[in-house]
Amino acid sequence: PWVNVDPGAPALGAPRVSVIIPTYNQKPMYLKAAVLSALNQVGIATEVIVVDDGTTDYEIRIDDVIGAPDSGYIRDDNTIGKIVWLSKRAKLVKHEKNRGISAALNTGIAHMTTDWFCWLSSDDLFSPDKVEKQLNAMLAAGAKASFHDYTVIDNTPESFGRYVIGHTWSSIEEQLRALRQTCLINGSTVMIHKDALKECSEKVYHFFDEDLRYGQDYEMWLRIGQRHLWLRVPE
């Protein structure tokens, strides 16, 4: 149901949380599902920013749902080629060439109009009440950075549906000792206040390290963890 239609009614009102979705040559069905899961959050309206990091397999456009009857989104045309249409409720920013995850995230953050950042990988999904529950938990705790548990979605029967429980800590020192051993925070589970991003970044709109082609999330979590206690939302 995520792929072809907008299920349910999205939350009304001005967006309070921004969801950045970097994408590069992603399978269209995965990308569309990710975007719709971010748009159709209940309780709290979201600003969904898709950053096309130089996709070459097709063209991404934001418009009304049009195209082939079987998908409602994808159209093959001898004149215009293959187009993936996304809901016009999302925003689209494009890189002319592939620059990597860090640059795509930084571009998305630069276009945010809210105070709260979420990252959604273009092959992941948010549950409909994720944003509402996570933001409420952060406001109640006075936290500037948080993450939560998650369920694995893959094509391996042994791990599909596995529930991953996050780690907890009671001090920044304990937190850093744990984080320095391995990356314990999944990128698609984070919610971070923009002030926390700015505090740990030397350059304006250069938050994630663009010199890193991988591990940029881990490096950012460590930087934030030196100043803020990461809140685990146990759900």
Side-chain angles (χ1 to χ4, degrees), residues 50-54 59-61 92-96 107:
V50 178
V51 182
D52 176 6
D53 191 26
E59 180 184 356
I60 300 174
R61 292 188 188 177
L92 176 64
V93 185
K94 294 191 176 187
H95 289 168
E96 291 300 317
T107 294

Side-chain angles (χ1 to χ4, degrees), residues 15-20 38-39 45-49 89-91 108 111-114 116:
R16 295 183 61 194
V17 174
S18 298
V19 181
I20 311 301
L39 284 170
T46 55
E47 173 186 58
V48 177
I49 303 172
R89 291 190 287 122
K91 299 179 180 180
H111 285 81
M112 283 175 48
T113 64
T114 78
W116 298 94

Side-chain angles (χ1 to χ4, degrees), residues 29-72:
M29 59 185 283
Y30 291 173
L31 172 60
K32 291 180 292 183
V35 171
L36 288 174
S37 77
L39 284 170
N40 291 304
Q41 291 293 299
V42 299
I44 294 176
T46 55
E47 173 186 58
V48 177
I49 303 172
V50 178
V51 182
D52 176 6
D53 191 26
T55 291
T56 56
D57 288 353
Y58 48 80
E59 180 184 356
I60 300 174
R61 292 188 188 177
I62 298 291
D63 207 336
D64 293 314
V65 177
I66 61 177
D70 61 335
S71 71

Side-chain angles (χ1 to χ4, degrees), residues 2 10-21 34-49 112 114-120 125-140 143 146-149 187-193 231 233 235:
W2 285 112
L12 300 176
R16 295 183 61 194
V17 174
S18 298
V19 181
I20 311 301
I21 305 179
V35 171
L36 288 174
S37 77
L39 284 170
N40 291 304
Q41 291 293 299
V42 299
I44 294 176
T46 55
E47 173 186 58
V48 177
I49 303 172
M112 283 175 48
T114 78
D115 289 336
W116 298 94
F117 160 83
C118 284
W119 170 6
L120 177 59
L125 297 169
F126 282 168
S127 62
D129 56 358
K130 170 250 176 30
V131 169
E132 180 182 37
K133 289 186 174 181
Q134 190 168 14
L135 181 59
N136 287 340
M138 294 185 71
L139 293 175
S146 75
F147 64 99
H148 54 74
D149 303 345
S188 286
T189 73
V190 302
M191 182 179 289
I192 306 168
H193 195 279
L231 172 70
V233 181
E235 193 168 343

